[in-house]
């Protein structure tokens, strides 16, 4: 299931024309959003789509943010995590941070949109019994 359309993407990004493969990219971005929403609780219809307009809007915007981010970083499939440095011609990219940390899989804006909408699940951090 895809949470956003090509028209949603162009409105979100302000671009006049979406990339030629935007439908596939939005589908993949929706999969990443579903990963973030693991354990989230919100009302959905029989097709699994959110029924509250605010939730649907947040999922749509988060999906557009995720698709735009993967286009910007050029790593739609997450393969950069396999390499610390990548060189193509005169361009050389080196992953920052510790040697053990993988590059981000999710767009920071996408997770912020979901968090502000109250859709990201909370975490119990103290570990004490209920």
């Amino acid at each position: 299931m895809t949470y956003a359309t090509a028209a949603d993407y162009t409105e979100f990004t302000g671009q006049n024309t979406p990339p030629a493969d935007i439908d596939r990219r939005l589908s993949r971005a929706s999969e990443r959003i579903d990963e973030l929403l693991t354990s989230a609780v919100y009302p959905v219809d029989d097709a699994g789509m959110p029924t509250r307009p605010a939730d649907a809007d947040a999922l749509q915007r988060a999906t557009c943010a995720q698709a735009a981010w993967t286009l910007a970083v050029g790593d739609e499939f997450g393969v950069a995590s396999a390499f610390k440095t990548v060189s193509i011609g005169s361009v050389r990219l080196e992953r920052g941070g510790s040697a053990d940390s993988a590059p981000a899989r999710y767009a920071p804006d996408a997770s912020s949109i979901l968090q502000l909408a109250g859709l990201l699940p909370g975490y119990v951090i103290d570990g004490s019994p209920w």
Side-chain angles (χ1 to χ4, degrees), residues 3 12 28-37 55 57-70 104-121:
Y3 298 118
F12 181 84
R28 180 163 299 281
S30 294
E31 292 170 2
R32 299 293 81 79
I33 298 307
D34 281 341
E35 290 171 5
L36 288 171
L37 294 173
D55 295 345
D57 178 65
L59 268 62
Q60 173 191 320
R61 291 183 300 115
T63 299
C64 292
Q66 181 70 29
W69 182 77
T70 59
R105 181 173 173 86
Y106 309 105
D109 287 347
S111 59
S112 292
I113 290 167
L114 296 174
Q115 184 175 19
L116 291 172
L119 292 170
L120 288 185

Side-chain angles (χ1 to χ4, degrees), residues 14-31:
Q15 296 177 353
N16 293 329
T17 306
D21 60 348
I22 192 61
D23 291 333
R24 183 182 56 75
R25 289 180 176 272
L26 289 170
S27 179
R28 180 163 299 281
S30 294
E31 292 170 2

Side-chain angles (χ1 to χ4, degrees), residues 64-87:
C64 292
Q66 181 70 29
W69 182 77
T70 59
L71 281 160
V73 300
D75 188 20
E76 178 184 4
F77 300 102
V79 296
S81 63
F83 308 100
K84 180 171 172 53
T85 60
V86 176
S87 298

